Amino acid sequence: MGFDLGSFWAVTGSSLLALVLLMAVTAVVGHRQGRVSVVDTTWGLGFVLVALVSALVGDGAGWRRVLVLVLVAVWGLRLAWHVTRRNAGKGEDPRYAEMLEKESGNPTLVAIRKVYAVQGAALWFVSLPLQVSAAAGDGVVWVAVVGVLLWLLGVSFEAVGDAQLARFKADPANKGKVMDRGLWSWTRHPNYFGDSSVWWGLFLVAASAWPGVLTVLSPVVMTYFLVYGTGAKLLERHMAERPGYREYQQRTSYFLPRPPRRAPGAERG
């Protein structure tokens, strides 16, 4: 069985419609709560929705449709739960507040144009590997296996990094300090690195059958967002003036994990 173009159009059209409805609901919830940051919870759930639609509407290899749905559901539901707990009882995320302050006009309309519509479009584009794979044949299994292993690495980095940061923040003795332990001593953004690895892994699962390899721009765009867009770069801008963060930047990798550098002036062993 090869690639069914008709099946793909059904999958991508259904996915786009589902995402429009999801973002509309998110905009209503965000308006009522006065927090655009509710979209962060929708981000993970949106991919789960696309994976579910793709599995139900597509007629490609059944094992891949089920595999993709399981992988995306595990990643997306964990992320949504984590973000919801992290943001509970808090106000607007400073990143979104800064973004919206730069725009004039009705705040709700600005949020729809600058946040909900943009993230909905990004969700659709980044999820193209899921959509294409749902209409593809069996392909090369070992490529999918490599993708699953990379996905597992990414999920592990995200989950462990988030758990380490949560424990660090829960200790009153660490108030005002910079988290530089565990995975956070190898990369300043283990969660973003893990997120990127997850999507490169899902891309490989899709690329195991033609024409999944053509969706390579999807993980590229996701990685760009994580590194230079609304992810690491924007977060570091807000963290830059925190005491000790400059020193942390000097000894710890920005994105790709590696052993920490020796602190400037540290004695040699």
Side-chain angles (χ1 to χ4, degrees):
M1 180 177 64
F3 182 71
D4 187 331
L5 185 59
S7 176
F8 167 72
W9 286 120
V11 167
T12 197
S14 300
S15 297
L16 186 59
L17 177 60
L19 289 175
V20 169
L21 294 175
L22 179 64
M23 281 299 169
V25 172
T26 303
V28 171
V29 173
H31 177 71
R32 290 182 176 178
Q33 293 188 5
R35 289 190 307 120
V36 177
S37 57
V38 296
V39 76
D40 290 344
T41 296
T42 300
W43 181 251
L45 296 178
F47 288 112
V48 177
L49 180 60
V50 171
L52 178 60
V53 169
S54 298
L56 294 177
V57 177
D59 63 359
W63 66 268
R64 186 184 295 105
R65 282 185 287 145
V66 172
L67 174 63
V68 168
L69 176 58
V70 171
L71 296 181
V72 175
V74 169
W75 169 80
L77 293 177
R78 189 213 71 85
L79 178 63
W81 174 245
H82 169 74
V83 170
T84 300
R85 289 194 305 168
R86 183 191 65 191
N87 293 345
K90 297 182 179 179
E92 184 63 276
D93 188 309
R95 296 173 299 168
Y96 293 119
E98 179 182 346
M99 183 187 304
L100 296 176
E101 285 173 0
K102 295 179 180 179
E103 299 288 334
S104 59
N106 184 289
T108 299
L109 296 179
V110 171
I112 291 174
R113 187 178 74 254
K114 299 286 289 187
V115 179
Y116 301 118
V118 170
Q119 292 213 22
L123 265 167
W124 176 83
F125 186 81
V126 172
S127 66
L128 277 174
L130 318 182
Q131 302 170 42
V132 169
S133 68
D138 287 326
V140 183
V141 175
W142 70 264
V143 176
V145 171
V146 174
V148 172
L149 294 176
L150 185 55
W151 172 91
L152 183 60
L153 172 68
V155 167
S156 299
F157 254 83
E158 276 195 88
V160 173
D162 287 340
Q164 290 176 340
L165 182 61
R167 287 196 298 269
F168 179 84
K169 289 183 174 181
D171 186 348
N174 294 325
K175 186 175 182 180
K177 296 182 179 179
V178 174
M179 170 54 163
D180 60 356
R181 308 169 189 174
L183 294 180
W184 298 84
S185 67
W186 284 65
T187 167
R188 302 200 297 272
H189 304 283
N191 48 350
Y192 292 147
F193 167 76
D195 213 345
S196 175
S197 298
V198 162
W199 282 95
W200 280 104
L202 289 169
F203 161 72
L204 287 178
V205 173
S208 65
W210 180 262
V213 68
L214 299 182
T215 64
V216 66
L217 285 181
S218 294
V220 169
V221 167
M222 174 64 105
T223 303
Y224 176 82
F225 277 130
L226 293 170
V227 179
Y228 301 109
T230 57
K233 185 176 182 179
L234 196 56
L235 180 60
E236 295 229 338
R237 190 183 306 167
H238 292 283
M239 295 288 292
E241 302 307 320
R242 179 170 294 189
Y245 199 77
R246 296 292 186 183
E247 293 77 11
Y248 176 58
Q249 288 177 311
Q250 293 176 9
R251 65 178 183 271
T252 308
S253 173
Y254 175 64
F255 192 74
L256 296 176
R258 61 158 179 74
R261 298 187 184 95
R262 184 182 298 275
E267 297 182 1
R268 296 184 180 276

